[in-house]
Amino acid sequence: MLFSEYARYQYVRSPLVEVICQLRFPAILTINTKEPAEFQEAVRHDFPRYAARKEQLPPKVTGLGTPNPKLEQQPAVVNHSFVSADGLWKINLTKDFIALSTLRYTQWEDFALRLDKPLAQFIQVYEPAFFERVGLRYVNAVSRKALGLTDLLWDDLIRSPYLGILGEPDVDESKVGKSAMDTELTLEGGVRMKIHAGPGLLGGGKKDPEPKFILDGDFSLPGSTAADKVPQLLGDLHQYAVRFFHGAITPELHEAMGPLPVLE
């Protein structure tokens, strides 16, 4: 089952580890060469911690198909970050994109409200012609230990399309070193869906050695999206994300997470 019916829940024991919204736009060079003081002034009450770092892009190959292809060094990109006092919410701004991410997601309305002011200020200050890509990504990491489900297999908690070889009855899960599914497909209206599913270690297992089942869904629309169309589009992407997650989990996992219905 790729998508379930659209039904929203808040989970007492939510597996969400990060939610990211990124909007890409045609390059605005002043963001790379001038500190975004006006933008910061508008958002610093909610995002008081500011930092900037230069990120070196990989070299670009030019002249492919000619006798003299060359590697051209790309100019560094300045990534401005604005972080909330508790460190759980962050805005990133570069010459190509603005993004909001959080490590403490509760529900869509709260996330959308947190995005509204900085996005409106960005549009007012920098006047992007349009957005080239609008994306919304939900990263879930299901912990059997946290849910008291250590006696169950992933096959009991995750639906078979996302399990790969782990869904086969004659495969011993404990003997599988690595198994993951990565899929990209185009949905209605040109929306693109990129999925990663499979067991993995958060942070490389340095702080937590327990394998989690990662359900990482990235939903986006490329093209040219006008600023006034962004809120409705993000609402649509959110609905895809909700339906994907519920289509990937079993009733056992749903109940173990402590579902509380969200009224529209």
Side-chain angles (χ1 to χ4, degrees), residues 23-40 50-55 75-82 91-99 118-119 121-131:
L23 299 98
R24 301 193 71 88
F25 47 83
I28 300 174
L29 299 181
T30 54
I31 298 175
N32 216 44
T33 58
K34 182 181 176 182
E35 291 183 344
E38 187 176 352
F39 178 80
Q40 187 209 23
Y50 169 76
R53 70 177 187 273
K54 287 189 175 182
E55 299 177 347
V77 172
V78 180
N79 192 327
H80 305 275
S81 63
F82 309 83
I91 298 169
N92 287 97
L93 177 64
T94 76
K95 68 180 181 64
D96 302 302
F97 72 81
I98 182 171
L119 181 57
Q121 183 63 23
F122 166 77
I123 292 169
Q124 179 180 330
V125 173
Y126 293 105
E127 300 180 338
F130 53 85
F131 292 102

Side-chain angles (χ1 to χ4, degrees), residues 16-24 79 88-93 97-106 108 111-112 115 133-140 215-220 234 237-238 241:
L16 271 172
V17 293
E18 189 171 20
V19 178
I20 308 157
C21 175
Q22 185 194 72
L23 299 98
R24 301 193 71 88
N79 192 327
L88 297 174
W89 293 80
K90 180 169 66 172
I91 298 169
N92 287 97
L93 177 64
F97 72 81
I98 182 171
L100 174 68
S101 61
T102 183
L103 305 176
R104 184 182 288 171
Y105 181 94
T106 55
W108 171 245
F111 187 89
L115 175 64
R133 181 185 182 275
V134 178
L136 188 60
R137 181 181 176 189
Y138 285 77
V139 183
N140 295 273
L215 284 169
D216 183 346
D218 189 347
F219 301 84
S220 65
L234 286 175
L237 298 181
H238 164 252

